[in-house]
Tab-separated table of all heavy atoms in Angstrom:
chain	number	residue	atom	x	y	z
A	1301	ALA	N	-48.423	-0.710	-10.894
A	1301	ALA	CA	-47.340	-0.076	-11.635
A	1301	ALA	C	-47.557	1.435	-11.735
A	1301	ALA	O	-48.685	1.918	-11.722
A	1301	ALA	CB	-47.241	-0.674	-13.035
A	1302	GLU	N	-46.438	2.146	-11.854
A	1302	GLU	CA	-46.519	3.553	-12.226
A	1302	GLU	C	-46.894	3.618	-13.707
A	1302	GLU	O	-46.371	2.862	-14.517
A	1302	GLU	CB	-45.159	4.237	-12.006
A	1302	GLU	CG	-45.086	5.666	-12.491
A	1302	GLU	CD	-43.666	6.196	-12.583
A	1302	GLU	OE1	-42.734	5.497	-12.136
A	1302	GLU	OE2	-43.487	7.307	-13.124
A	1303	VAL	N	-47.805	4.521	-14.057
A	1303	VAL	CA	-48.254	4.641	-15.447
A	1303	VAL	C	-47.812	5.993	-16.013
A	1303	VAL	O	-48.033	7.032	-15.393
A	1303	VAL	CB	-49.787	4.511	-15.557
A	1303	VAL	CG1	-50.241	4.746	-17.006
A	1303	VAL	CG2	-50.238	3.123	-15.083
A	1304	LYS	N	-47.179	5.939	-17.172
A	1304	LYS	CA	-46.738	7.164	-17.830
A	1304	LYS	C	-47.147	7.087	-19.299
A	1304	LYS	O	-46.889	6.083	-19.964
A	1304	LYS	CB	-45.228	7.327	-17.709
A	1304	LYS	CG	-44.729	8.688	-18.187
A	1304	LYS	CD	-43.313	8.947	-17.748
A	1304	LYS	CE	-42.844	10.343	-18.157
A	1304	LYS	NZ	-43.650	11.423	-17.563
A	1305	ILE	N	-47.783	8.133	-19.792
A	1305	ILE	CA	-48.214	8.180	-21.189
A	1305	ILE	C	-47.460	9.312	-21.879
A	1305	ILE	O	-47.431	10.445	-21.378
A	1305	ILE	CB	-49.732	8.387	-21.290
A	1305	ILE	CG1	-50.447	7.171	-20.685
A	1305	ILE	CG2	-50.160	8.580	-22.741
A	1305	ILE	CD1	-51.944	7.285	-20.611
A	1306	ILE	N	-46.828	8.997	-23.000
A	1306	ILE	CA	-46.056	10.001	-23.730
A	1306	ILE	C	-46.539	10.072	-25.173
A	1306	ILE	O	-47.004	9.082	-25.739
A	1306	ILE	CB	-44.537	9.728	-23.665
A	1306	ILE	CG1	-44.198	8.365	-24.261
A	1306	ILE	CG2	-44.027	9.841	-22.250
A	1306	ILE	CD1	-42.706	8.071	-24.254
A	1307	TYR	N	-46.407	11.254	-25.746
A	1307	TYR	CA	-46.915	11.521	-27.096
A	1307	TYR	C	-45.803	12.024	-28.011
A	1307	TYR	O	-44.844	12.651	-27.569
A	1307	TYR	CB	-48.016	12.583	-27.057
A	1307	TYR	CG	-49.343	12.129	-26.527
A	1307	TYR	CD1	-49.587	12.093	-25.154
A	1307	TYR	CD2	-50.370	11.752	-27.382
A	1307	TYR	CE1	-50.821	11.699	-24.649
A	1307	TYR	CE2	-51.606	11.361	-26.896
A	1307	TYR	CZ	-51.826	11.336	-25.532
A	1307	TYR	OH	-53.056	10.945	-25.038
A	1308	GLN	N	-46.018	11.776	-29.293
A	1308	GLN	CA	-45.174	12.344	-30.324
A	1308	GLN	C	-45.305	13.872	-30.316
A	1308	GLN	O	-46.344	14.408	-29.933
A	1308	GLN	CB	-45.642	11.807	-31.684
A	1308	GLN	CG	-44.830	12.205	-32.883
A	1308	GLN	CD	-43.515	11.461	-32.897
A	1308	GLN	OE1	-42.518	11.980	-32.412
A	1308	GLN	NE2	-43.525	10.240	-33.401
A	1309	SER	N	-44.290	14.576	-30.797
A	1309	SER	CA	-44.389	16.024	-30.952
A	1309	SER	C	-44.905	16.355	-32.346
A	1309	SER	O	-44.756	15.572	-33.290
A	1309	SER	CB	-43.029	16.690	-30.738
A	1309	SER	OG	-42.157	16.389	-31.816
A	1310	VAL	N	-45.508	17.528	-32.488
A	1310	VAL	CA	-46.005	17.971	-33.792
A	1310	VAL	C	-44.842	18.165	-34.762
A	1310	VAL	O	-44.945	17.837	-35.948
A	1310	VAL	CB	-46.832	19.264	-33.651
A	1310	VAL	CG1	-47.203	19.824	-35.022
A	1310	VAL	CG2	-48.091	19.007	-32.827
A	1311	ASP	N	-43.718	18.684	-34.271
A	1311	ASP	CA	-42.550	18.870	-35.138
A	1311	ASP	C	-42.078	17.538	-35.710
A	1311	ASP	O	-41.731	17.442	-36.900
A	1311	ASP	CB	-41.409	19.531	-34.361
A	1311	ASP	CG	-41.664	21.007	-34.092
A	1311	ASP	OD1	-42.546	21.582	-34.770
A	1311	ASP	OD2	-41.001	21.579	-33.205
A	1312	ASN	N	-42.052	16.503	-34.883
A	1312	ASN	CA	-41.647	15.184	-35.373
A	1312	ASN	C	-42.655	14.620	-36.362
A	1312	ASN	O	-42.290	13.927	-37.319
A	1312	ASN	CB	-41.476	14.214	-34.205
A	1312	ASN	CG	-40.157	14.410	-33.474
A	1312	ASN	OD1	-39.274	15.104	-33.956
A	1312	ASN	ND2	-40.038	13.804	-32.310
A	1313	LEU	N	-43.937	14.903	-36.137
A	1313	LEU	CA	-44.969	14.469	-37.085
A	1313	LEU	C	-44.696	15.064	-38.459
A	1313	LEU	O	-44.742	14.358	-39.473
A	1313	LEU	CB	-46.344	14.896	-36.588
A	1313	LEU	CG	-47.495	14.722	-37.587
A	1313	LEU	CD1	-47.784	13.253	-37.832
A	1313	LEU	CD2	-48.748	15.436	-37.095
A	1314	HIS	N	-44.398	16.341	-38.503
A	1314	HIS	CA	-44.114	16.993	-39.776
A	1314	HIS	C	-42.838	16.454	-40.405
A	1314	HIS	O	-42.746	16.349	-41.637
A	1314	HIS	CB	-44.001	18.500	-39.570
A	1314	HIS	CG	-45.301	19.143	-39.219
A	1314	HIS	ND1	-45.392	20.438	-38.751
A	1314	HIS	CD2	-46.575	18.681	-39.262
A	1314	HIS	CE1	-46.666	20.734	-38.523
A	1314	HIS	NE2	-47.400	19.686	-38.818
A	1315	GLN	N	-41.877	16.106	-39.580
A	1315	GLN	CA	-40.634	15.535	-40.102
A	1315	GLN	C	-40.885	14.166	-40.720
A	1315	GLN	O	-40.326	13.829	-41.768
A	1315	GLN	CB	-39.599	15.425	-38.980
A	1315	GLN	CG	-38.233	14.912	-39.441
A	1315	GLN	CD	-37.232	14.866	-38.305
A	1315	GLN	OE1	-37.316	15.635	-37.350
A	1315	GLN	NE2	-36.277	13.940	-38.378
A	1316	ALA	N	-41.748	13.387	-40.082
A	1316	ALA	CA	-42.031	12.035	-40.579
A	1316	ALA	C	-42.951	12.048	-41.788
A	1316	ALA	O	-42.829	11.190	-42.672
A	1316	ALA	CB	-42.654	11.191	-39.461
A	1317	CYS	N	-43.878	13.005	-41.839
A	1317	CYS	CA	-44.868	13.071	-42.928
A	1317	CYS	C	-44.784	14.438	-43.607
A	1317	CYS	O	-45.723	15.246	-43.513
A	1317	CYS	CB	-46.274	12.839	-42.382
A	1317	CYS	SG	-46.480	11.340	-41.396
A	1318	PRO	N	-43.700	14.725	-44.296
A	1318	PRO	CA	-43.473	16.082	-44.815
A	1318	PRO	C	-44.441	16.502	-45.904
A	1318	PRO	O	-44.598	17.700	-46.160
A	1318	PRO	CB	-42.034	16.016	-45.344
A	1318	PRO	CG	-41.808	14.566	-45.660
A	1318	PRO	CD	-42.585	13.810	-44.620
A	1319	GLU	N	-45.090	15.550	-46.579
A	1319	GLU	CA	-46.016	15.888	-47.663
A	1319	GLU	C	-47.455	15.993	-47.184
A	1319	GLU	O	-48.329	16.414	-47.928
A	1319	GLU	CB	-45.921	14.832	-48.775
A	1319	GLU	CG	-44.537	14.706	-49.399
A	1319	GLU	CD	-44.090	15.999	-50.044
A	1319	GLU	OE1	-44.930	16.654	-50.699
A	1319	GLU	OE2	-42.912	16.371	-49.886
A	1320	ASN	N	-47.694	15.595	-45.954
A	1320	ASN	CA	-49.057	15.614	-45.408
A	1320	ASN	C	-49.049	16.430	-44.122
A	1320	ASN	O	-48.913	15.884	-43.026
A	1320	ASN	CB	-49.552	14.190	-45.143
A	1320	ASN	CG	-49.887	13.454	-46.412
A	1320	ASN	OD1	-49.050	13.323	-47.304
A	1320	ASN	ND2	-51.104	12.983	-46.532
A	1321	LEU	N	-49.225	17.720	-44.257
A	1321	LEU	CA	-49.065	18.647	-43.140
A	1321	LEU	C	-50.393	19.063	-42.515
A	1321	LEU	O	-50.435	19.992	-41.720
A	1321	LEU	CB	-48.282	19.880	-43.603
A	1321	LEU	CG	-46.868	19.590	-44.126
A	1321	LEU	CD1	-46.200	20.867	-44.611
A	1321	LEU	CD2	-46.012	18.925	-43.049
A	1322	GLY	N	-51.471	18.377	-42.862
A	1322	GLY	CA	-52.765	18.661	-42.244
A	1322	GLY	C	-52.770	18.174	-40.804
A	1322	GLY	O	-52.887	16.978	-40.548
A	1323	ASP	N	-52.658	19.090	-39.844
A	1323	ASP	CA	-52.457	18.710	-38.445
A	1323	ASP	C	-53.493	19.322	-37.513
A	1323	ASP	O	-53.240	19.503	-36.324
A	1323	ASP	CB	-51.048	19.126	-37.991
A	1323	ASP	CG	-50.816	20.634	-38.097
A	1323	ASP	OD1	-51.777	21.368	-38.407
A	1323	ASP	OD2	-49.681	21.076	-37.859
A	1324	TRP	N	-54.681	19.677	-38.039
A	1324	TRP	CA	-55.666	20.413	-37.253
A	1324	TRP	C	-56.119	19.663	-36.017
A	1324	TRP	O	-56.501	20.277	-35.028
A	1324	TRP	CB	-56.862	20.786	-38.127
A	1324	TRP	CG	-57.503	19.618	-38.825
A	1324	TRP	CD1	-58.536	18.861	-38.380
A	1324	TRP	CD2	-57.146	19.084	-40.107
A	1324	TRP	NE1	-58.856	17.875	-39.288
A	1324	TRP	CE2	-58.012	17.998	-40.360
A	1324	TRP	CE3	-56.174	19.413	-41.051
A	1324	TRP	CZ2	-57.934	17.239	-41.521
A	1324	TRP	CZ3	-56.104	18.657	-42.210
A	1324	TRP	CH2	-56.974	17.588	-42.449
A	1325	TYR	N	-56.108	18.339	-36.044
A	1325	TYR	CA	-56.487	17.563	-34.850
A	1325	TYR	C	-55.578	17.896	-33.668
A	1325	TYR	O	-55.986	17.886	-32.515
A	1325	TYR	CB	-56.352	16.059	-35.083
A	1325	TYR	CG	-56.759	15.568	-36.426
A	1325	TYR	CD1	-55.836	15.451	-37.464
A	1325	TYR	CD2	-58.070	15.205	-36.669
A	1325	TYR	CE1	-56.207	14.987	-38.702
A	1325	TYR	CE2	-58.460	14.733	-37.910
A	1325	TYR	CZ	-57.521	14.634	-38.925
A	1325	TYR	OH	-57.890	14.180	-40.162
A	1326	PHE	N	-54.313	18.168	-33.982
A	1326	PHE	CA	-53.285	18.344	-32.964
A	1326	PHE	C	-53.025	19.811	-32.633
A	1326	PHE	O	-52.682	20.145	-31.504
A	1326	PHE	CB	-51.975	17.712	-33.441
A	1326	PHE	CG	-52.156	16.371	-34.094
A	1326	PHE	CD1	-51.875	16.186	-35.443
A	1326	PHE	CD2	-52.622	15.288	-33.372
A	1326	PHE	CE1	-52.042	14.952	-36.052
A	1326	PHE	CE2	-52.804	14.048	-33.969
A	1326	PHE	CZ	-52.516	13.882	-35.311
A	1327	THR	N	-53.173	20.707	-33.617
A	1327	THR	CA	-52.809	22.107	-33.441
A	1327	THR	C	-53.994	23.063	-33.447
A	1327	THR	O	-53.876	24.199	-32.990
A	1327	THR	CB	-51.848	22.552	-34.563
A	1327	THR	OG1	-52.552	22.494	-35.822
A	1327	THR	CG2	-50.619	21.648	-34.618
A	1328	GLY	N	-55.101	22.638	-34.017
A	1328	GLY	CA	-56.233	23.541	-34.181
A	1328	GLY	C	-56.098	24.466	-35.375
A	1328	GLY	O	-56.916	25.379	-35.554
A	1329	ASN	N	-55.086	24.231	-36.208
A	1329	ASN	CA	-54.891	25.059	-37.404
A	1329	ASN	C	-55.681	24.447	-38.567
A	1329	ASN	O	-55.150	23.662	-39.353
A	1329	ASN	CB	-53.405	25.151	-37.742
A	1329	ASN	CG	-52.603	25.818	-36.643
A	1329	ASN	OD1	-53.092	26.723	-35.974
A	1329	ASN	ND2	-51.375	25.376	-36.442
A	1330	TYR	N	-56.938	24.812	-38.674
A	1330	TYR	CA	-57.818	24.231	-39.688
A	1330	TYR	C	-57.514	24.821	-41.065
A	1330	TYR	O	-57.268	26.026	-41.185
A	1330	TYR	CB	-59.280	24.476	-39.322
A	1330	TYR	CG	-59.741	23.647	-38.155
A	1330	TYR	CD1	-59.596	24.121	-36.853
A	1330	TYR	CD2	-60.295	22.392	-38.329
A	1330	TYR	CE1	-60.004	23.367	-35.759
A	1330	TYR	CE2	-60.712	21.620	-37.256
A	1330	TYR	CZ	-60.558	22.115	-35.971
A	1330	TYR	OH	-60.952	21.352	-34.902
A	1331	PRO	N	-57.545	24.002	-42.099
A	1331	PRO	CA	-57.234	24.493	-43.446
A	1331	PRO	C	-58.363	25.257	-44.117
A	1331	PRO	O	-58.149	25.898	-45.134
A	1331	PRO	CB	-56.916	23.213	-44.224
A	1331	PRO	CG	-57.672	22.141	-43.509
A	1331	PRO	CD	-57.690	22.536	-42.061
A	1332	THR	N	-59.575	25.183	-43.564
A	1332	THR	CA	-60.699	25.916	-44.149
A	1332	THR	C	-61.400	26.724	-43.053
A	1332	THR	O	-61.366	26.346	-41.870
A	1332	THR	CB	-61.729	24.970	-44.796
A	1332	THR	OG1	-62.490	24.312	-43.773
A	1332	THR	CG2	-61.045	23.930	-45.675
A	1333	PRO	N	-62.049	27.825	-43.412
A	1333	PRO	CA	-62.750	28.640	-42.410
A	1333	PRO	C	-63.818	27.865	-41.645
A	1333	PRO	O	-64.056	28.120	-40.469
A	1333	PRO	CB	-63.380	29.770	-43.246
A	1333	PRO	CG	-62.556	29.841	-44.481
A	1333	PRO	CD	-62.114	28.433	-44.760
A	1334	GLY	N	-64.451	26.907	-42.328
A	1334	GLY	CA	-65.484	26.130	-41.665
A	1334	GLY	C	-64.971	25.351	-40.471
A	1334	GLY	O	-65.720	25.068	-39.530
A	1335	GLY	N	-63.691	24.993	-40.491
A	1335	GLY	CA	-63.106	24.262	-39.368
A	1335	GLY	C	-63.124	25.072	-38.088
A	1335	GLY	O	-63.414	24.550	-37.003
A	1336	ASN	N	-62.810	26.375	-38.199
A	1336	ASN	CA	-62.827	27.235	-37.014
A	1336	ASN	C	-64.237	27.367	-36.450
A	1336	ASN	O	-64.435	27.401	-35.232
A	1336	ASN	CB	-62.283	28.623	-37.370
A	1336	ASN	CG	-60.801	28.594	-37.684
A	1336	ASN	OD1	-60.066	27.735	-37.195
A	1336	ASN	ND2	-60.358	29.513	-38.518
A	1337	LYS	N	-65.198	27.422	-37.329
A	1337	LYS	CA	-66.592	27.526	-36.873
A	1337	LYS	C	-67.006	26.244	-36.136
A	1337	LYS	O	-67.679	26.294	-35.105
A	1337	LYS	CB	-67.505	27.773	-38.075
A	1337	LYS	CG	-68.860	28.374	-37.724
A	1337	LYS	CD	-69.594	28.818	-38.966
A	1337	LYS	CE	-70.916	29.498	-38.619
A	1337	LYS	NZ	-70.737	30.832	-38.027
A	1338	VAL	N	-66.573	25.105	-36.645
A	1338	VAL	CA	-66.929	23.823	-36.030
A	1338	VAL	C	-66.283	23.674	-34.654
A	1338	VAL	O	-66.929	23.244	-33.693
A	1338	VAL	CB	-66.514	22.652	-36.948
A	1338	VAL	CG1	-66.558	21.328	-36.192
A	1338	VAL	CG2	-67.430	22.578	-38.162
A	1339	VAL	N	-64.997	24.021	-34.523
A	1339	VAL	CA	-64.323	23.821	-33.238
A	1339	VAL	C	-64.924	24.728	-32.167
A	1339	VAL	O	-65.092	24.322	-31.011
A	1339	VAL	CB	-62.795	24.021	-33.357
A	1339	VAL	CG1	-62.427	25.468	-33.651
A	1339	VAL	CG2	-62.092	23.555	-32.084
A	1340	ASN	N	-65.273	25.968	-32.526
A	1340	ASN	CA	-65.916	26.852	-31.555
A	1340	ASN	C	-67.275	26.314	-31.137
A	1340	ASN	O	-67.651	26.363	-29.958
A	1340	ASN	CB	-66.073	28.255	-32.153
A	1340	ASN	CG	-64.764	29.025	-32.166
A	1340	ASN	OD1	-63.766	28.580	-31.610
A	1340	ASN	ND2	-64.763	30.175	-32.813
A	1341	ARG	N	-68.029	25.801	-32.106
A	1341	ARG	CA	-69.336	25.233	-31.790
A	1341	ARG	C	-69.179	24.018	-30.872
A	1341	ARG	O	-69.956	23.833	-29.934
A	1341	ARG	CB	-70.066	24.844	-33.073
A	1341	ARG	CG	-71.510	24.385	-32.834
A	1341	ARG	CD	-72.156	23.924	-34.128
A	1341	ARG	NE	-72.165	24.986	-35.119
A	1341	ARG	CZ	-71.833	24.815	-36.391
A	1341	ARG	NH1	-71.456	23.627	-36.821
A	1341	ARG	NH2	-71.880	25.825	-37.227
A	1342	ALA	N	-68.160	23.193	-31.132
A	1342	ALA	CA	-67.926	22.018	-30.288
A	1342	ALA	C	-67.626	22.434	-28.847
A	1342	ALA	O	-68.084	21.785	-27.894
A	1342	ALA	CB	-66.761	21.199	-30.853
A	1343	PHE	N	-66.873	23.525	-28.672
A	1343	PHE	CA	-66.571	23.998	-27.319
A	1343	PHE	C	-67.821	24.567	-26.649
A	1343	PHE	O	-68.061	24.317	-25.456
A	1343	PHE	CB	-65.464	25.059	-27.377
A	1343	PHE	CG	-65.013	25.516	-26.017
A	1343	PHE	CD1	-64.193	24.719	-25.243
A	1343	PHE	CD2	-65.439	26.742	-25.505
A	1343	PHE	CE1	-63.785	25.137	-23.984
A	1343	PHE	CE2	-65.041	27.165	-24.248
A	1343	PHE	CZ	-64.205	26.357	-23.480
């Protein structure tokens, strides 16, 4: 079979979960300074 994988958009995520906007897994926008330090270290 042909295989196709599709993902939700970040905008739709925010629309579906308007009170929970923590999206750093998807956008890299960490809510604390320590998050930026961790992602750089991981890279």
Side-chain angles (χ1 to χ4, degrees):
E1302 174 194 353
V1303 176
K1304 189 166 183 61
I1305 296 175
I1306 60 178
Y1307 286 83
Q1308 184 73 265
S1309 70
V1310 173
D1311 287 343
N1312 281 348
L1313 170 69
H1314 291 168
Q1315 183 178 332
C1317 307
E1319 300 299 319
N1320 287 56
L1321 300 178
D1323 60 6
W1324 55 92
Y1325 321 92
F1326 317 114
T1327 65
N1329 298 326
Y1330 288 89
T1332 75
N1336 291 333
K1337 200 170 183 72
V1338 166
V1339 68
N1340 284 352
R1341 186 184 301 135
F1343 185 76

